[in-house]
Amino acid sequence: MELICLNILGGRKTEKFLSFLKNKSEVDIFCLQEVFDNGKCTRPVMEGSNMMIFEEINNVLKEHRGYFAPHQNEEEGIALFVKRNLIAEEYNDIFVHRYKNAMINNHGGELGRNIQKIKLKLGNRYVNV
């Protein structure tokens, strides 16, 4: 089983990153940080961030199932992409620092931090990622 973990910097290098994913599409699991979804963000972010990067990754990794776990306003968070041939028995995300939507008025304070957990069945054994 192959796994790649990356901070994608909000998709600021979208073309290069998507090209990388195409070349690594045989990888079983991708764990990604700084992922945006829904095409918006209600707080200031780094210039060049791609607000639709989760959808664009989904379009590239067609053999994978995407799991988005937001930590702020259903738009910013982390993501897992797992090969569809792997059987997911359980999936959830857990906050390990602060809580969901912890930013004050979306502009001040610290973001909450969550982790994702997926339990995969491989034959007659289980693997937790």
Side-chain angles (χ1 to χ4, degrees), residues 17-32:
F17 175 64
L18 294 179
S19 177
F20 170 83
L21 290 179
K22 285 178 191 173
N23 292 330
K24 296 291 186 180
S25 63
E26 77 284 350
V27 170
D28 298 300
I29 302 168
F30 293 92
C31 302
L32 307 176

Side-chain angles (χ1 to χ4, degrees), residues 30 32 37 54-55 57-59 61-69 78-84 91 116 118:
F30 293 92
L32 307 176
D37 194 19
F54 181 76
E55 183 178 324
I57 296 167
N58 264 322
N59 291 335
L61 295 178
K62 295 187 184 302
E63 300 294 319
H64 294 71
R65 181 175 298 109
Y67 298 86
F68 182 67
I78 55 179
L80 281 175
F81 287 86
V82 179
K83 275 268 180 105
R84 292 183 184 275
Y91 165 80
Q116 291 174 295
I118 193 161

Side-chain angles (χ1 to χ4, degrees), residues 59-122:
N59 291 335
V60 168
L61 295 178
K62 295 187 184 302
E63 300 294 319
H64 294 71
R65 181 175 298 109
Y67 298 86
F68 182 67
H71 48 246
Q72 188 68 31
N73 300 331
E74 303 302 319
E75 61 199 22
E76 180 180 1
I78 55 179
L80 281 175
F81 287 86
V82 179
K83 275 268 180 105
R84 292 183 184 275
N85 65 341
L86 296 173
I87 300 167
E89 292 280 320
E90 291 177 26
Y91 165 80
N92 64 355
D93 73 303
I94 303 158
F95 276 80
V96 294
H97 176 70
R98 300 196 75 198
Y99 48 89
K100 188 173 184 175
N101 297 327
M103 295 279 290
I104 300 166
N105 297 323
N106 300 322
H107 297 286
E110 283 183 51
L111 288 170
R113 297 290 180 207
N114 52 340
I115 59 173
Q116 291 174 295
K117 177 187 176 244
I118 193 161
K119 182 178 179 181
L120 303 170
K121 185 170 184 178
L122 302 175

